[in-house]
Amino acid sequence: MDLEEVRERAREVLRGICRVCAVCNGRNCPTGVPGMGGAGTGEGFRRNIDALASWKLNLRVLHSRKVQDTGFEFFGHKLPFPILAGAIAGAKVNFGGRLEEREIARALVLGAKACGTVALTGDGPDPEVFSAGLAAIKEAGGWGIPVIKPRANEEIIKRIREAEKVGALAIAIDVDAAGLLNMTRVGQTVEPKTVEDILEIARSTSLPLILKGVMTVADAEAALAGGAAGIVVSNHGGRALDHTLGTADVLPGIAAAVQGKLMVLADGGVRSGVDVLKMLALGAQAVLVGRPLLIAACGGGPDGVKAQLESLAQELTVAMRLTGCGNLRDISSEIITPVRS
Ligand SMILES: Cc1cc2nc3c(=O)[nH]c(=O)nc-3n(C[C@H](O)[C@H](O)[C@H](O)COP(=O)(O)O)c2cc1C
């Protein structure tokens, strides 16, 4: 599938919402939140891009790593590469209903599964958002991870039971959605979570619990103390709070504090295999990709998502070869240099 044709079709579908720019960097978005851009000034979205760009790779080609293995162990499952599809939901509010919620969820979940990797799905004030994700995960034989909003614990646990029924691989909570006005305005609680709250949720299920939206060492340590099996270093693509740091700014400190104790994933501004490699060198075990995969889903459905993921994986392979890495264990801070402008 030709990715340029996919992007051209997506440009039509998303007209007035997203320009499907050559590089998706938050500099020319016609919309913020709702839409495809960032919250407020969009600075958090742009900082993700700039933070990644401030790290440069050390080209290294005189070495013995002639074959690259991008295989990644994810909670007992072998994935072909360390790139997952992030949750993109809220079709009615974000895309003016031009796409059906179930269509997006299906494209992301089935497209990811078609190339052996995993997608996350979303949650929102409209019950259709969560159920569309679950339906897609069910269709994929449980191969997906629902992300639940940081609702009251009993509401979260109710949704965990539903996720268990469809055989989901893990459960995630986007803890950075604790201030989401479109939930509170319609009387649906979202709230910051204490370590005790997290413990109660983690103990309610045998599935791994992933907390998405961790941007400080303190929150990473709270996630660990609460029994989370993983975190996503994420600022929700700059959509939760304006003027946050970029994820690549905070990732090294967080990874140093909790690496080896829980799984560290990261997202925000990953646009190429080179960006994937940078995130791994900064301490992530795998990355999530958001907006580029929604664009691929709009323009090409599951096949578009698969093609975009495979293109990123291919770029990662080349970038690993040119930095002396044969497998993911070879990737370390040795291969990157910060260049502060
Ligand atoms: C339109 C849109 C909808 C999103 N919906 C959700 C969601 O329902 N749940 C969630 O955890 N993250 C959601 N996200 C955030 C993404 O999962 C991811 O963290 C972010 O997009 C990564 O940044 P990137 O788009 O720069 O790759 C959404 C992002 C966008 C752009």
Side-chain angles (χ1 to χ4, degrees):
M1 181 165 261
D2 183 333
L3 276 174
E4 264 323 302
E5 284 173 21
V6 167
R7 290 164 58 76
E8 197 47 54
R9 275 198 295 277
R11 208 167 274 127
E12 286 304 312
V13 177
L14 294 171
R15 191 174 294 278
I17 296 171
C18 168
R19 294 195 171 93
V20 188
C21 302
V23 181
C24 171
N25 59 14
R27 289 196 153 68
N28 201 20
C29 302
T31 52
V33 181
M36 281 278 272
T41 63
E43 196 47 44
F45 176 4
R46 290 190 292 277
R47 183 63 212 162
N48 283 341
I49 304 286
D50 294 347
L52 267 172
S54 73
W55 292 93
K56 306 296 174 194
L57 292 171
N58 305 330
L59 179 81
R60 242 206 100 197
V61 284
L62 303 182
H63 60 75
S64 60
R65 307 284 205 266
K66 293 179 190 252
V67 177
Q68 279 61 46
D69 173 6
T70 57
F72 166 60
E73 185 77 20
F74 183 68
F75 297 120
H77 302 278
K78 180 91 181 165
L79 307 189
F81 43 77
I83 310 168
L84 283 71
I88 302 275
K92 283 192 189 121
V93 284
N94 290 313
F95 313 121
R98 288 181 215 172
L99 296 150
E100 296 284 332
E101 196 70 54
R102 59 172 187 275
E103 224 184 311
I104 300 174
R106 231 182 141 257
L108 292 169
V109 171
L110 298 184
K113 185 179 180 189
C115 50
T117 190
V118 181
L120 286 78
T121 60
D123 185 14
D126 182 343
E128 187 198 17
V129 176
F130 188 68
S131 61
L134 273 195
I137 294 173
K138 187 174 181 191
E139 187 178 345
W143 193 252
I145 302 171
V147 186
I148 304 170
K149 292 280 173 236
R151 301 167 178 274
N153 270 18
E154 71 239 41
E155 291 295 321
I156 291 178
I157 292 167
K158 213 191 297 173
R159 285 163 181 78
I160 290 177
R161 295 285 93 83
E162 291 180 49
E164 287 168 343
K165 267 192 215 133
V166 303
L169 295 184
I171 299 291
I173 303 174
D174 51 340
V175 287
D176 56 359
L180 210 62
L181 288 176
N182 73 348
M183 298 284 293
T184 50
R185 275 193 195 121
V186 295
Q188 296 191 38
T189 302
V190 280
E191 58 184 16
K193 294 292 178 193
T194 63
V195 169
E196 291 69 35
D197 290 331
I198 302 163
L199 272 173
E200 186 188 11
I201 297 164
R203 283 177 183 151
S204 76
T205 180
S206 58
L207 292 176
L209 174 67
I210 301 168
L211 299 186
K212 174 173 178 283
V214 168
M215 287 292 286
T216 58
V217 170
D219 272 6
E221 284 171 346
L224 186 63
I231 54 170
V232 186
V233 175
S234 172
N235 61 6
H236 219 103
R239 293 169 65 83
L241 175 69
D242 201 0
H243 285 278
T244 61
L245 287 168
T247 52
D249 291 319
V250 299
L251 176 57
I254 293 173
V258 296
Q259 212 160 37
K261 300 175 191 158
L262 43 63
M263 177 155 306
V264 179
L265 308 172
D267 75 12
V270 174
R271 301 293 177 260
S272 65
V274 161
D275 289 339
V276 177
L277 183 63
K278 287 182 183 179
M279 285 292 205
L280 301 191
L282 294 171
Q285 288 161 269
V287 302
L288 274 50
V289 175
R291 293 173 179 92
L293 291 179
L294 184 274
I295 289 166
C298 278
D303 290 345
V305 170
K306 174 175 181 281
Q308 180 64 77
L309 281 163
E310 285 176 341
S311 164
L312 289 167
Q314 202 168 46
E315 291 169 0
L316 171 64
T317 303
V318 174
M320 284 171 63
R321 174 173 285 216
L322 299 185
T323 51
C325 302
N327 57 47
L328 302 190
R329 286 180 306 282
D330 290 338
I331 302 172
S332 74
S333 57
E334 303 266 294
I335 67 159
I336 47 168
T337 304
V339 178
R340 304 285 176 199
S341 49

